[in-house]
PDB file of all heavy atoms in Angstrom:
ATOM      1  N   ALA A 421     -43.237 113.582   1.413  1.00 97.00           N
ATOM      2  CA  ALA A 421     -44.127 114.494   2.089  1.00 97.00           C
ATOM      3  C   ALA A 421     -45.134 113.681   2.909  1.00 97.00           C
ATOM      4  O   ALA A 421     -45.618 112.653   2.438  1.00 97.00           O
ATOM      5  CB  ALA A 421     -44.898 115.379   1.117  1.00 97.00           C
ATOM      6  N   THR A 422     -45.381 114.097   4.144  1.00 95.00           N
ATOM      7  CA  THR A 422     -46.236 113.342   5.023  1.00 95.00           C
ATOM      8  C   THR A 422     -47.691 113.417   4.551  1.00 95.00           C
ATOM      9  O   THR A 422     -48.406 112.398   4.533  1.00 95.00           O
ATOM     10  CB  THR A 422     -46.146 113.834   6.489  1.00 95.00           C
ATOM     11  OG1 THR A 422     -44.780 113.701   6.886  1.00 95.00           O
ATOM     12  CG2 THR A 422     -47.040 113.028   7.389  1.00 95.00           C
ATOM     13  N   GLY A 423     -48.156 114.595   4.195  1.00 96.00           N
ATOM     14  CA  GLY A 423     -49.516 114.741   3.691  1.00 96.00           C
ATOM     15  C   GLY A 423     -50.580 114.841   4.757  1.00 96.00           C
ATOM     16  O   GLY A 423     -51.505 115.653   4.608  1.00 96.00           O
ATOM     17  N   VAL A 424     -50.471 114.050   5.811  1.00 94.00           N
ATOM     18  CA  VAL A 424     -51.441 114.099   6.905  1.00 94.00           C
ATOM     19  C   VAL A 424     -50.764 113.482   8.126  1.00 94.00           C
ATOM     20  O   VAL A 424     -49.942 112.558   8.015  1.00 94.00           O
ATOM     21  CB  VAL A 424     -52.706 113.316   6.517  1.00 94.00           C
ATOM     22  CG1 VAL A 424     -52.405 111.827   6.272  1.00 94.00           C
ATOM     23  CG2 VAL A 424     -53.783 113.435   7.585  1.00 94.00           C
ATOM     24  N   ALA A 425     -51.084 114.026   9.294  1.00 86.00           N
ATOM     25  CA  ALA A 425     -50.558 113.500  10.536  1.00 86.00           C
ATOM     26  C   ALA A 425     -51.517 112.431  11.098  1.00 86.00           C
ATOM     27  O   ALA A 425     -52.731 112.611  11.050  1.00 86.00           O
ATOM     28  CB  ALA A 425     -50.330 114.594  11.569  1.00 86.00           C
ATOM     29  N   PRO A 574     -48.571 118.552  15.524  1.00 89.00           N
ATOM     30  CA  PRO A 574     -48.795 118.387  14.077  1.00 89.00           C
ATOM     31  C   PRO A 574     -48.892 119.706  13.357  1.00 89.00           C
ATOM     32  O   PRO A 574     -49.425 120.685  13.900  1.00 89.00           O
ATOM     33  CB  PRO A 574     -50.121 117.613  14.003  1.00 89.00           C
ATOM     34  CG  PRO A 574     -50.220 116.914  15.360  1.00 89.00           C
ATOM     35  CD  PRO A 574     -49.589 117.829  16.338  1.00 89.00           C
ATOM     36  N   ALA A 575     -48.381 119.721  12.151  1.00 85.00           N
ATOM     37  CA  ALA A 575     -48.449 120.951  11.339  1.00 85.00           C
ATOM     38  C   ALA A 575     -49.868 121.181  10.881  1.00 85.00           C
ATOM     39  O   ALA A 575     -50.738 120.328  11.003  1.00 85.00           O
ATOM     40  CB  ALA A 575     -47.502 120.834  10.138  1.00 85.00           C
ATOM     41  N   ASP A 576     -50.126 122.345  10.330  1.00 90.00           N
ATOM     42  CA  ASP A 576     -51.436 122.697   9.825  1.00 90.00           C
ATOM     43  C   ASP A 576     -51.861 121.662   8.764  1.00 90.00           C
ATOM     44  O   ASP A 576     -51.167 121.442   7.785  1.00 90.00           O
ATOM     45  CB  ASP A 576     -51.386 124.090   9.194  1.00 90.00           C
ATOM     46  CG  ASP A 576     -52.713 124.455   8.568  1.00 90.00           C
ATOM     47  OD1 ASP A 576     -53.715 124.474   9.238  1.00 90.00           O
ATOM     48  OD2 ASP A 576     -52.709 124.701   7.331  1.00 90.00           O
ATOM     49  N   PRO A 577     -53.011 120.986   8.948  1.00 92.00           N
ATOM     50  CA  PRO A 577     -53.415 119.926   7.997  1.00 92.00           C
ATOM     51  C   PRO A 577     -53.498 120.420   6.579  1.00 92.00           C
ATOM     52  O   PRO A 577     -53.114 119.699   5.621  1.00 92.00           O
ATOM     53  CB  PRO A 577     -54.781 119.509   8.517  1.00 92.00           C
ATOM     54  CG  PRO A 577     -54.782 119.873   9.965  1.00 92.00           C
ATOM     55  CD  PRO A 577     -53.947 121.108  10.107  1.00 92.00           C
ATOM     56  N   ALA A 578     -54.024 121.611   6.391  1.00 95.00           N
ATOM     57  CA  ALA A 578     -54.172 122.127   5.027  1.00 95.00           C
ATOM     58  C   ALA A 578     -52.795 122.330   4.346  1.00 95.00           C
ATOM     59  O   ALA A 578     -52.606 122.034   3.151  1.00 95.00           O
ATOM     60  CB  ALA A 578     -54.912 123.466   5.012  1.00 95.00           C
ATOM     61  N   ALA A 579     -51.796 122.808   5.137  1.00 94.00           N
ATOM     62  CA  ALA A 579     -50.485 123.029   4.602  1.00 94.00           C
ATOM     63  C   ALA A 579     -49.815 121.676   4.271  1.00 94.00           C
ATOM     64  O   ALA A 579     -49.116 121.546   3.239  1.00 94.00           O
ATOM     65  CB  ALA A 579     -49.657 123.804   5.603  1.00 94.00           C
ATOM     66  N   GLU A 580     -49.994 120.697   5.153  1.00 95.00           N
ATOM     67  CA  GLU A 580     -49.435 119.378   4.903  1.00 95.00           C
ATOM     68  C   GLU A 580     -49.996 118.782   3.589  1.00 95.00           C
ATOM     69  O   GLU A 580     -49.257 118.232   2.776  1.00 95.00           O
ATOM     70  CB  GLU A 580     -49.769 118.442   6.065  1.00 95.00           C
ATOM     71  CG  GLU A 580     -49.018 118.760   7.357  1.00 95.00           C
ATOM     72  CD  GLU A 580     -47.711 118.022   7.449  1.00 95.00           C
ATOM     73  OE1 GLU A 580     -47.156 117.604   6.407  1.00 95.00           O
ATOM     74  OE2 GLU A 580     -47.204 117.889   8.592  1.00 95.00           O
ATOM     75  N   LEU A 581     -51.285 118.861   3.421  1.00 97.00           N
ATOM     76  CA  LEU A 581     -51.958 118.309   2.230  1.00 97.00           C
ATOM     77  C   LEU A 581     -51.478 119.083   0.981  1.00 97.00           C
ATOM     78  O   LEU A 581     -51.176 118.467  -0.054  1.00 97.00           O
ATOM     79  CB  LEU A 581     -53.471 118.426   2.377  1.00 97.00           C
ATOM     80  CG  LEU A 581     -54.278 117.890   1.188  1.00 97.00           C
ATOM     81  CD1 LEU A 581     -54.018 116.405   0.945  1.00 97.00           C
ATOM     82  CD2 LEU A 581     -55.756 118.102   1.435  1.00 97.00           C
ATOM     83  N   ALA A 582     -51.406 120.383   1.068  1.00 97.00           N
ATOM     84  CA  ALA A 582     -50.963 121.156  -0.091  1.00 97.00           C
ATOM     85  C   ALA A 582     -49.556 120.815  -0.529  1.00 97.00           C
ATOM     86  O   ALA A 582     -49.245 120.741  -1.706  1.00 97.00           O
ATOM     87  CB  ALA A 582     -51.078 122.657   0.224  1.00 97.00           C
ATOM     88  N   ALA A 583     -48.656 120.583   0.481  1.00 97.00           N
ATOM     89  CA  ALA A 583     -47.284 120.237   0.179  1.00 97.00           C
ATOM     90  C   ALA A 583     -47.206 118.907  -0.552  1.00 97.00           C
ATOM     91  O   ALA A 583     -46.422 118.701  -1.481  1.00 97.00           O
ATOM     92  CB  ALA A 583     -46.452 120.229   1.453  1.00 97.00           C
ATOM     93  N   ALA A 584     -48.017 117.930  -0.107  1.00 98.00           N
ATOM     94  CA  ALA A 584     -48.026 116.627  -0.709  1.00 98.00           C
ATOM     95  C   ALA A 584     -48.542 116.673  -2.124  1.00 98.00           C
ATOM     96  O   ALA A 584     -47.992 116.053  -3.054  1.00 98.00           O
ATOM     97  CB  ALA A 584     -48.891 115.665   0.133  1.00 98.00           C
ATOM     98  N   VAL A 585     -49.585 117.466  -2.339  1.00 98.00           N
ATOM     99  CA  VAL A 585     -50.147 117.616  -3.715  1.00 98.00           C
ATOM    100  C   VAL A 585     -49.144 118.277  -4.632  1.00 98.00           C
ATOM    101  O   VAL A 585     -48.958 117.873  -5.801  1.00 98.00           O
ATOM    102  CB  VAL A 585     -51.489 118.390  -3.638  1.00 98.00           C
ATOM    103  CG1 VAL A 585     -51.946 118.769  -5.057  1.00 98.00           C
ATOM    104  CG2 VAL A 585     -52.531 117.568  -2.913  1.00 98.00           C
ATOM    105  N   LEU A 623     -56.359 112.600   1.286  1.00 98.00           N
ATOM    106  CA  LEU A 623     -54.988 112.697   0.743  1.00 98.00           C
ATOM    107  C   LEU A 623     -54.849 111.890  -0.537  1.00 98.00           C
ATOM    108  O   LEU A 623     -54.264 112.354  -1.513  1.00 98.00           O
ATOM    109  CB  LEU A 623     -53.996 112.129   1.818  1.00 98.00           C
ATOM    110  CG  LEU A 623     -52.537 111.983   1.374  1.00 98.00           C
ATOM    111  CD1 LEU A 623     -51.932 113.323   1.065  1.00 98.00           C
ATOM    112  CD2 LEU A 623     -51.738 111.254   2.435  1.00 98.00           C
TER     113      LEU A 623
END
Side-chain angles (χ1 to χ4, degrees):
T422 301
V424 62
D576 175 59
E580 291 269 21
L581 180 60
V585 170
L623 173 65

